[in-house]
């Protein structure tokens, strides 16, 4: 293929004057029009232009420009770019891993032939709908390639292609499911008058207290807020309680001990105490204390 320097050129000043001569070019020839020595336009025949446009359907031409592929590879979610004939133009490394495909098994192929597992499923319905309507779509589905995994599929149509994003949301789904379990446990404990619990911050102070615990010590939740739970334990039992709490907050695992609580009316309540670490995304966030009467 000839480079730009080998092509016939004409200055923009001479273009209009020589147009009658220039239009006699061969069908496969192109003439560069220059301005101040720099090529700015190309003059070619309709037949040559149509041949170039038709060649865009060839396998090699179906590959997206390198800049688009490089951009897709920079993303941490799976990316597929397809044209409106469902042919894959680009696929980043994450998409290859998520779809269990080698580097040469996606680009240039029909998306549902390259990944037949998608055929007939909800993803195909959303993709075809977006291609036909040019409207975006999104769905959260179980992963087809990883057991016990979830993927969110986002489909965004553009002028010349459709972008399909695959985002692994397994941890989010687990977190939401566990959140539902925790909420149910809190409700169950709330209606069980034999179990009390409190949530502690990393300093061992009460952030939240359940009604049964409040009844045990005859103090409202407002009065208990920010109170060090060890201060509710008689001096004779306080050292053992603090040792157990400190071990839990230090990440040494849950502890169960027999202890005593001081009630606001002066009485004492014998309890069995279980303390477990409360961990969040950024590490230790305190502890959960469960108490039952002995």
């Amino acid at each position: 293929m000839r480079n730009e320097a080998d092509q016939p050129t004409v200055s923009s000043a001479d273009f209009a004057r020589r147009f009658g001569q220039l239009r006699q070019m061969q069908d496969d020839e192109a003439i560069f029009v220059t301005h101040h020595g720099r090529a700015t336009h190309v003059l070619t025949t309709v037949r040559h232009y149509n041949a170039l446009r038709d060649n865009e359907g060839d396998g090699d031409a179906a590959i997206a420009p390198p800049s688009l592929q490089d951009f897709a590879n920079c993303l941490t979610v799976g990316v597929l770019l397809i044209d409106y004939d469902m042919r894959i133009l680009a696929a980043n490394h994450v998409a290859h891993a998520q779809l269990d495909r080698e580097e040469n098994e996606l680009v240039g192929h029909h998306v549902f032939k390259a990944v037949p597992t998608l055929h007939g499923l909800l993803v195909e319905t959303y993709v075809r709908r977006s291609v036909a309507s040019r409207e975006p779509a999104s769905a959260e589905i179980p992963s087809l390639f990883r057991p016990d995994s979830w993927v969110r599929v986002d489909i965004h149509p553009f002028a010349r292609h459709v972008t399909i994003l695959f985002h692994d949301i397994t941890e989010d789904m687990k977190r939401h499911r566990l959140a539902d379990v925790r909420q149910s446990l809190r409700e169950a404990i709330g209606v069980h008058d034999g179990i009390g619990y409190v949530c502690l911050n990393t300093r061992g102070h009460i952030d939240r207290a359940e009604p049964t615990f409040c009844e045990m010590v005859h103090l409202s939740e407002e009065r208990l807020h920010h109170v060090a739970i060890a201060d509710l334990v008689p001096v004779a039992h306080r050292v053992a309680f603090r040792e157990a709490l400190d071990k839990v907050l230090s990440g040494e695992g849950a502890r169960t001990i027999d202890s005593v609580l001081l009630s606001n009316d002066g009485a004492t309540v014998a309890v069995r105490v279980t303390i477990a670490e409360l961990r969040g995304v950024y590490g230790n966030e305190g502890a959960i204390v469960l108490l039952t009467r002995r």
Side-chain angles (χ1 to χ4, degrees), residues 30 51 53 89 101 110 118 121 130 142 213 216 231 253 256:
R53 186 179 63 181
L89 304 176
R101 291 295 180 271
H110 189 283
L118 301 177
L121 298 181
S130 292
F213 178 82
M216 286 180 180
D231 291 345
T256 296

Side-chain angles (χ1 to χ4, degrees), residues 135-173:
E135 295 179 355
S138 181
E140 295 179 350
I141 61 172
S143 172
L144 306 174
F145 304 95
R146 301 286 186 274
D148 300 321
S149 298
W150 284 77
V151 175
R152 183 175 68 242
V153 181
D154 294 312
I155 307 165
H156 302 278
F158 295 95
R160 297 181 181 274
H161 67 269
V162 176
T163 300
I164 306 175
L165 304 177
F166 296 92
H167 183 64
D168 190 303
I169 58 170
T170 304
E171 292 304 317
D172 291 339
M173 294 298 291

Side-chain angles (χ1 to χ4, degrees), residues 146-266:
R146 301 286 186 274
D148 300 321
S149 298
W150 284 77
V151 175
R152 183 175 68 242
V153 181
D154 294 312
I155 307 165
H156 302 278
F158 295 95
R160 297 181 181 274
H161 67 269
V162 176
T163 300
I164 306 175
L165 304 177
F166 296 92
H167 183 64
D168 190 303
I169 58 170
T170 304
E171 292 304 317
D172 291 339
M173 294 298 291
K174 288 181 178 179
R175 191 175 299 115
H176 290 317
R177 287 180 171 181
L178 289 175
D180 291 338
V181 172
R182 287 194 294 266
Q183 180 61 33
S184 297
L185 284 173
R186 284 195 292 266
E187 292 178 1
I189 291 172
V191 298
H192 191 299
D193 60 3
I195 304 174
Y197 83 88
V198 291
C199 297
L200 308 180
N201 60 24
T202 54
R203 295 184 299 163
H205 293 183
I206 297 173
D207 276 343
R208 184 171 59 195
E210 181 273 335
T212 300
F213 178 82
C214 296
E215 187 273 330
M216 286 180 180
V217 295
H218 293 147
L219 288 170
S220 67
E221 183 176 7
E222 291 76 14
R223 292 278 303 278
L224 289 169
H225 195 56
H226 294 317
V227 171
I229 191 170
D231 291 345
L232 301 177
V233 178
V235 174
H237 298 269
R238 194 170 297 171
V239 172
F241 184 91
R242 280 179 171 166
E243 286 180 353
L245 178 60
D246 288 344
K247 288 181 179 180
V248 172
L249 293 176
S250 298
E252 297 184 23
R255 295 285 190 277
T256 296
I257 63 171
D258 289 334
S259 189
V260 177
L261 289 179
L262 288 171
S263 175
N264 192 42
D265 60 4

